[in-house]
């Protein structure tokens, strides 16, 4: 008899939605990685982390299935805790945005 845990079929409730153990692990790993970024924080954070996203919303996944790309939770966190820019913010006819980053 196979363990349902090993197959990733155990269902649990996290964030108000049922998820498999594999999805729970992925969420924990992503949150652990996010917590390693030391320069994220509010607008007053010195040398605040800058993020650039080039993903058109509404093309992949769905909000109803909690599979939308980009994920709303991720975008909200990036907007709140980083200097965030999305190519979706470009004006009609604007093909680029020049950014200078210190390395």
């Amino acid at each position: 008899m196979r363990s349902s845990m090993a197959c990733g079929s155990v269902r649990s409730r996290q964030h108000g939605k049922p998820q498999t153990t594999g999805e729970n692990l992925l969420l924990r790993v992503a949150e652990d990685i996010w917590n390693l970024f030391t320069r994220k924080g509010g607008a007053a954070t010195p040398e605040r982390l800058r993020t650039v996203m080039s993903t058109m919303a509404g093309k992949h996944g769905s909000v109803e299935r909690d599979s939308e790309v980009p994920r709303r939770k991720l975008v909200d966190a990036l907007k709140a805790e980083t200097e965030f820019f999305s190519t979706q913010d470009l004006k009609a006819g604007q093909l680029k945005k020049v950014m200078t980053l210190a390395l």
Side-chain angles (χ1 to χ4, degrees):
M1 182 172 157
R2 286 207 252 166
S3 163
S4 59
M5 178 86 95
C7 296
S9 61
V10 173
R11 304 292 279 185
S12 65
R13 290 234 171 236
Q14 182 175 352
H15 304 295
K17 297 183 180 184
Q19 297 172 324
T20 64
T21 55
E23 289 169 329
N24 288 336
L25 177 61
L26 185 59
L27 283 172
R28 282 195 308 262
V29 168
E31 288 173 4
D32 288 347
I33 291 170
W34 177 245
N35 290 331
L36 293 174
F37 287 96
T38 57
R39 292 176 33 197
K40 68 182 189 317
T45 303
E47 298 183 11
R48 188 177 188 203
L49 180 66
R50 297 174 87 181
T51 54
V52 178
M53 182 178 72
S54 181
T55 302
M56 184 179 286
K59 293 293 182 183
H60 302 285
S62 72
V63 174
E64 296 79 27
R65 295 180 59 190
D66 199 26
S67 63
E68 78 278 11
V69 176
R71 295 284 162 75
R72 175 56 38 203
K73 182 178 177 180
L74 171 63
V75 173
D76 290 346
L78 293 174
K79 285 180 177 180
E81 298 192 52
T82 72
E83 190 177 323
F84 176 78
F85 172 76
S86 170
T87 55
Q88 291 187 132
D89 296 334
L90 293 172
K91 307 285 185 252
Q94 186 180 2
L95 300 177
K96 66 181 179 181
K97 176 175 174 101
V98 177
M99 302 175 90
T100 303
L101 304 173
L103 300 177

